[in-house]
Amino acid sequence: MTTPLPKAWDPADHESDLYQSWIDGGYFTADATSGKPAYSIVLPPPNVTGSLHMGHALDHTLMDVLARRRRMQGYEVLWLPGMDHAGIATQSLVEKSLVAEGVTKNDLGREKFIERVWQWKAESGGTIGDQMRRLGDSVDWSRERFTMDEGLSNAVQTIFKRLYDDGLIYRAERLVNWSPVLKTAISDIEVSYSDVEGELVSFRYGSMDDSRPHIVVATTRLETMLGDTAIAVHPDDERYAHLVGTELTHPFVDRMIPVIADDYVDPEFGSGAVKITPAHDPNDFAIGQRHNLPMPTIMDTSAQITGTGTRFDGMDRFVARTAIREALAEQGRIVKEVRPYVHSVGHSERSGEPIEPRLSMQWWVRVETLAKAAGDAVRNGQTTIHPAAMEPRWFGWVDDMHDWCISRQLWWGHRIPIFYGPDGDVVCVGPGEEPPAGYEQDPDVLDTWFSSGLWPFSTMGWPEDTTDLRTFYPTSVLVTGYDILFFWVARMMMFGTYVAADLGPDAPVPFRDLFLHGLVRDEHGRKMSKSKGNGIDPLDWVDRYGADALRFTLARGATPGGDLSVGDDHAEASRNFATKLFNATKFALMNGARIGDLPEPEQLTDADRWILGRLDEVIADADSGFESYEFARGCEALYHFARDEFCDWYLELAKVQVFARPDGTVDEPRAAATAVVLGTVLDAILRMLHPVMPFVTEVLWTSLTGRPTVVRADWPTVSGRTPDTVAAQRIADTQKLITEVRRFRSDQGLRDSQRVAAHLEGIGAADLLDARPYVDFLARLDPPAEGFAATATVEVRLSAATVTVQIDTSGSVDIEAEKRRAAKDLAAAEKELAQTSAKLGNEQFLAKAPDAVVDKIKGRRQIAADEVARLQAKLAALGES
């Protein structure tokens, strides 16, 4: 029994209840023992501290499309959700809340602080889960995971010990990105670079006497000169050849500075001499290693100068920068100052301050063999990257990867399972093992990416042998943005290939396909950011337009590796599409649309055979798009078929087939056949759109079919019917004839509802005699009466013949009023043409504007030009009448 539709479609009235009904029905809970072919996706775990942004919404939409479609295709689908403990972000947030209470984490101590973090997680960590429900995510909530869960912690400890025992984890003093505010090393992905105005200061090392040894160097970070341990020049630079091997005095520190030769130096840049601070610059660190230079660290964890024995000790690095410049000026060593000097500076994404490259004792993963295995997995086809154009970036990363710093100076996170005993003894403790009595554990925790790198298999129970692992691993596809290709994806591939032997011969990689989508940008093509104020809250769109509109907008713009630009007008168009589907279904149901066996082709009209043939083509197009992760192509095919062909044409043609004829009778067999065709096509449209627009399709499909849910409906397949190309051509000709007559009517100033008499000459030769009722109904034409005299004609060239439409518009058009209206429209079109042409003729505008903006203006100019030509022709015709 079908459920009656509401009067209008308001998403807010349905979405929450529908989602809960799906959860209550267990539709998203995977059964590892069902025997169906398995399909699995793990959700890239969002930070527990966060809320969903547009990038998340895109991620989730595309994964949900894949998961829902595979369910309909008969797969046992596991879409596994979860969250990341987000070490730095979470600790910072809880620390800030403590400050408001007047206490610090040190006041609480480590154990009490960790208790507070778990308390915060229990009270406030569910925001993203609620937002996922509002988006319609069909995840298996019964398997939800958290990177600090007991099982996942066991996995972390297991793989750490294995890597340590294999010599792939080691401790060493190396240069790291240091956050003076957070007082921890941070990963490359947590560093954002931006141009800042600084000063490039050139100063003199060595004697102030020009006849005695001296060298001029330049720097934007003058404070680091306190840690200089060499001056480097190029080996072939004759200007300094006599100084290589000599030593110059340091202006402030009791240290001689050797002059060394190294190929790294560019003799054409600046003075051709470079100051070397191995403990505070990555390039200098490499030179220091090559030349066995001392590497004094001159800043503490807060970036205050320390241990130099100078008056600058205790100063903040930026205060010291100014003080050192003034002191060098007093000595006459400043050669020149350049203000401003714009250069790129890395900042901590979490705390905002400039990061400090700092020599620090940390734990590292030796990545050479792990990265090679990750690269080989793609080379040998075990994992396929979509789009293939991203492969060079992948290989460029994994083939030249540096060892990975995995320790963080935090309290919240997976604590490093290393214990230190007397006499320098070091013990790595595995799961279930106890350290020797009296041993102290390393205070650091692991980088968040370490635990999330285990996500595809740790969430399914590894290192235990579980049914979920045997059924759903390796996962079918990983969906993520290309911007974290190197940080998260590479780590999952390294760990997945490393433990592959545990998981069986059929599990060499963590995912078979890797689909990389682009970034969501604003409607002008700019990256969304808080500073620009152009970000869009996806939940705001859900409130205003509905979840289906948000999802369809994002999926319709998603191409492999490509960015997509969105704005309110896109969401409005998607909402309008949902409304159109609703109204079309309502009309179909009012006219008896039903699911049933289709009549034989000879019992169907051309319109019926055409729409059924197009349905088969669209099923194939949608399948092709979704299978190749070309969501935009699949959505475009469904959108134009549903809106343009089914709603705008077939429903209109169907009205002729189900409505009463002029004599008041109804062709009952034809109406009955039309009802089945309506039901058949609409059923398939709603099922194909369901993965993208789950809410509105659920309401419409259950009303159409009387079945409980479309979630478990079968995905449509091509019927195998032979396409009727003759019928398709006749309908194409009918559409063209109707369109041209409508355009002619508009140009003549006829109202849409106004019927006029017309004679169609050549309609028989065009093989469209049976189409005359469609033309009369949709073009508002009446058969000519006795004494008919045409006042205007239009010729329409069709595939078989030209049809001449003769129309009597006498008494139907106010010529003068129509001239005034056309003239007003022409003035507006000419203004638009002038404005867009001026913009496109502005070289400065073209140099700065994003391509998407330029293309949009080009489109506006073309539309304006076409409108000017049309209105000029119309005024000319009105002048002759």
Side-chain angles (χ1 to χ4, degrees):
M1 181 172 177
T2 59
T3 304
L5 289 176
K7 290 183 178 180
W9 175 244
D10 185 347
D13 292 341
H14 303 277
E15 290 177 348
S16 178
D17 290 344
L18 285 175
Y19 189 83
Q20 191 57 50
S21 73
W22 293 330
I23 297 299
D24 294 343
Y27 299 153
F28 307 149
T29 304
D31 180 1
T33 64
S34 70
K36 296 179 183 178
Y39 186 84
S40 58
I41 305 174
V42 291
L43 179 78
N47 287 355
V48 67
T49 59
S51 59
L52 295 182
H53 54 63
M54 264 305 181
H56 288 128
L58 173 62
D59 245 3
H60 290 224
T61 294
L62 301 185
M63 282 183 277
D64 201 27
V65 170
L66 295 171
R68 287 178 181 269
R69 180 167 172 268
R70 284 292 190 243
R71 284 193 193 95
M72 297 174 77
Q73 290 179 314
Y75 288 78
E76 191 64 52
V77 174
L78 169 61
W79 183 15
L80 193 150
M83 288 184 290
D84 192 288
H85 65 278
I88 291 176
T90 306
Q91 177 158 326
S92 298
L93 189 150
V94 176
E95 282 193 67
K96 286 179 182 177
S97 69
L98 290 176
V99 169
E101 299 174 16
V103 296
T104 68
K105 67 181 178 67
N106 292 322
D107 294 333
L108 291 180
R110 187 166 192 144
E111 287 190 15
K112 292 293 183 182
F113 177 75
I114 296 301
E115 288 177 9
R116 283 295 297 267
V117 180
W118 279 108
Q119 179 185 337
W120 175 88
K121 195 261 182 184
E123 295 172 354
S124 308
T127 300
I128 280 187
D130 294 339
Q131 292 174 333
M132 289 170 60
R133 289 171 168 83
R134 294 201 62 196
L135 290 183
D137 287 5
S138 63
V139 296
D140 184 348
W141 291 109
S142 71
R143 287 176 166 86
E144 184 178 11
R145 297 291 183 264
F146 181 55
T147 50
M148 291 286 285
D149 285 348
E150 182 178 351
L152 274 66
S153 296
N154 182 54
V156 167
Q157 197 170 356
T158 298
I159 201 164
F160 185 99
K161 180 169 175 55
R162 189 176 300 183
L163 289 164
Y164 180 84
D165 290 346
D166 286 347
L168 296 177
I169 285 182
Y170 64 96
R171 192 171 186 238
E173 193 174 37
R174 297 275 185 85
L175 213 64
V176 296
N177 300 313
W178 187 266
S179 166
V181 171
L182 301 171
K183 296 182 178 59
T184 180
I186 59 177
S187 69
D188 290 341
I189 199 173
E190 289 157 333
V191 179
S192 59
Y193 288 85
S194 58
D195 287 343
V196 299
E197 287 190 0
E199 58 182 16
L200 182 65
V201 180
S202 297
F203 68 96
R204 182 169 176 148
Y205 263 119
S207 175
M208 298 302 296
D209 181 349
D210 289 347
S211 64
R212 297 177 64 82
H214 65 276
I215 288 182
V216 174
V217 295
T219 182
T220 58
R221 302 177 65 229
L222 196 55
E223 66 279 8
T224 63
M225 64 89 64
L226 297 174
D228 286 355
T229 56
I231 296 168
V233 298
H234 194 275
D236 299 331
D237 194 335
E238 295 181 358
R239 293 173 296 173
Y240 303 114
H242 65 291
L243 291 176
V244 174
T246 66
E247 294 183 330
L248 304 176
T249 57
H250 193 287
F252 307 117
V253 180
D254 185 17
R255 182 190 311 133
M256 297 300 291
I257 306 297
V259 180
I260 62 174
D262 195 280
D263 289 335
Y264 166 77
V265 180
D266 179 2
E268 302 298 324
F269 182 77
S271 67
V274 180
K275 59 184 285 299
I276 304 301
T277 318
H280 293 277
D281 182 273
N283 296 315
D284 293 3
F285 177 73
I287 292 174
Q289 287 185 309
R290 286 197 293 272
H291 294 271
N292 198 29
L293 298 175
M295 300 185 181
T297 297
I298 60 160
M299 296 182 205
D300 65 13
T301 58
S302 300
Q304 289 188 333
I305 305 300
T306 186
T308 68
T310 68
R311 61 190 174 91
F312 308 112
D313 282 355
M315 290 184 182
D316 174 79
R317 54 182 167 163
F318 299 122
V319 174
R321 180 177 298 177
T322 301
I324 291 170
R325 175 167 50 80
E326 292 172 350
L328 287 171
E330 289 174 3
Q331 293 184 19
R333 292 186 177 276
I334 300 293
V335 177
K336 60 180 178 179
E337 296 179 26
V338 180
R339 291 176 181 256
Y341 183 81
V342 177
H343 60 124
S344 181
V345 175
H347 293 74
S348 168
E349 280 203 337
R350 297 296 175 191
S351 46
E353 86 283 13
I355 62 105
E356 182 63 40
R358 184 172 187 269
L359 195 61
S360 178
M361 184 65 75
Q362 302 284 347
W363 285 95
W364 304 81
V365 172
R366 203 181 310 275
V367 301
E368 183 178 3
T369 58
L370 300 173
K372 182 180 185 303
D376 290 345
V378 174
R379 286 189 178 92
N380 63 26
Q382 293 171 319
T383 293
T384 303
I385 294 179
H386 304 266
M390 286 287 178
E391 284 187 5
R393 295 182 64 180
W394 170 258
F395 295 130
W397 174 255
V398 297
D399 292 348
D400 190 31
M401 191 182 294
H402 301 295
D403 285 1
W404 170 21
C405 176
I406 56 171
S407 47
R408 298 291 180 265
Q409 289 64 56
L410 303 170
W411 286 356
W412 172 244
H414 294 282
R415 195 161 175 184
I416 290 177
I418 292 289
F419 289 79
Y420 303 104
D423 303 321
D425 190 25
V426 178
V427 174
C428 181
V429 173
E433 298 176 354
E434 292 293 332
Y439 278 52
E440 291 191 5
Q441 188 170 3
D442 191 296
D444 290 349
V445 300
L446 287 165
D447 177 14
T448 296
W449 298 99
F450 190 95
S451 52
S452 60
L454 312 178
W455 188 251
F457 47 92
S458 64
T459 52
M460 295 188 196
W462 184 88
E464 302 300 322
D465 179 18
T466 67
T467 304
D468 276 359
L469 272 172
R470 290 195 300 271
T471 303
F472 295 113
Y473 188 86
T475 62
S476 305
V477 60
L478 176 74
V479 177
T480 189
Y482 64 68
D483 52 329
I484 61 170
L485 171 64
F486 312 136
F487 298 98
W488 183 47
V489 179
R491 283 149 175 71
M492 286 189 289
M493 286 287 279
M494 288 193 301
F495 285 158
T497 53
Y498 177 67
V499 300
D502 291 8
L503 301 165
D506 296 327
V509 288
F511 27 81
R512 301 291 190 189
D513 282 353
L514 170 57
F515 170 66
L516 300 167
H517 60 74
L519 305 178
V520 184
R521 299 181 179 273
D522 71 10
E523 58 189 330
H524 302 298
R526 301 172 304 178
K527 186 175 181 179
M528 292 185 181
S529 69
K530 291 181 181 178
S531 61
K532 292 177 183 174
N534 65 339
I536 300 172
D537 182 347
L539 275 300
D540 176 54
W541 270 14
V542 172
D543 290 336
R544 293 162 61 194
Y545 307 115
D548 290 324
L550 166 70
R551 293 164 60 106
F552 191 75
T553 298
L554 295 173
R556 190 180 174 192
T559 57
D563 293 348
L564 62 153
S565 298
V566 297
D568 283 351
D569 55 340
H570 298 92
E572 289 172 6
S574 297
R575 178 197 59 195
N576 294 343
F577 178 46
T579 301
K580 192 162 188 124
L581 286 173
F582 179 85
N583 292 335
T585 305
K586 200 160 193 176
F587 167 82
L589 291 174
M590 288 171 58
N591 288 279
R594 62 187 180 86
I595 307 300
D597 294 332
L598 286 167
E600 294 301 315
E602 57 269 17
Q603 296 176 279
L604 299 174
T605 66
D606 282 345
D608 297 334
R609 293 193 291 272
W610 161 72
I611 198 68
L612 290 170
R614 282 294 298 129
L615 175 61
D616 276 345
E617 292 173 350
V618 168
I619 291 172
D621 288 345
D623 276 335
S624 175
F626 292 137
E627 286 295 329
S628 58
Y629 304 106
E630 295 179 82
F631 296 90
R633 185 158 65 88
C635 288
E636 281 295 292
L638 292 175
Y639 174 79
H640 289 295
F641 177 68
R643 189 195 71 162
D644 301 343
E645 297 180 276
F646 181 73
C647 293
D648 288 353
W649 279 109
Y650 182 72
L651 286 186
E652 295 302 307
L653 298 171
K655 291 176 181 178
V656 178
Q657 301 177 182
V658 299
F659 287 176
R661 292 175 289 205
D663 62 4
T665 62
V666 174
D667 186 336
E668 296 292 352
R670 188 170 71 168
T674 302
V676 177
V677 174
L678 275 171
T680 299
V681 179
L682 186 57
D683 164 47
I685 287 173
L686 295 174
R687 282 187 282 149
M688 286 190 289
L689 282 171
H690 172 71
V692 190
M693 307 176 77
F695 295 105
V696 68
T697 53
E698 175 83 342
V699 171
L700 298 180
W701 191 83
T702 54
S703 293
L704 173 68
T705 65
R707 293 171 60 186
T709 181
V710 69
V711 174
R712 290 188 168 176
D714 293 334
W715 179 258
T717 55
V718 175
S719 69
R721 291 184 293 266
T722 302
D724 191 331
T725 56
V726 174
Q729 184 59 64
R730 280 198 290 255
I731 291 300
D733 284 341
T734 301
Q735 291 172 330
K736 184 176 180 181
L737 180 57
I738 292 168
T739 299
E740 291 300 321
V741 173
R742 284 172 167 173
R743 181 179 292 116
F744 182 73
R745 286 172 55 102
S746 175
D747 288 343
Q748 292 296 313
L750 293 169
R751 298 187 305 277
D752 289 344
S753 60
Q754 189 173 3
R755 302 191 69 84
V756 293
H759 174 67
L760 275 60
E761 183 179 314
I763 194 169
D767 194 22
L768 292 183
L769 286 175
D770 291 343
R772 180 65 198 255
Y774 299 131
V775 178
D776 287 351
F777 179 74
L778 295 177
R780 301 293 189 267
L781 302 180
D782 288 330
E786 187 176 347
F788 170 82
T791 62
T793 62
V794 60
E795 292 186 349
V796 184
R797 177 62 186 168
L798 302 177
S799 61
T802 295
V803 174
T804 301
V805 184
Q806 301 173 339
I807 299 179
D808 178 11
T809 61
S810 57
S812 303
V813 180
D814 182 340
I815 299 297
E816 292 306 316
E818 191 59 26
K819 283 182 179 179
R820 290 192 297 272
R821 185 169 70 85
K824 182 180 179 181
D825 291 345
L826 177 60
E830 289 174 334
K831 181 179 179 181
E832 171 73 354
L833 180 59
Q835 289 176 339
T836 52
S837 297
K839 274 193 174 182
L840 293 172
N842 185 330
E843 294 297 332
Q844 289 185 335
F845 169 77
L846 293 177
K848 295 180 180 179
D851 290 344
V853 174
V854 174
D855 289 343
K856 190 172 183 179
I857 294 175
K858 285 181 179 178
R860 284 171 50 196
R861 181 176 65 176
Q862 186 59 52
I863 292 170
D866 293 344
E867 190 70 355
V868 167
R870 184 185 73 81
L871 290 166
Q872 287 174 339
K874 179 175 181 177
L875 280 168
L878 289 171
E880 296 170 0
S881 58

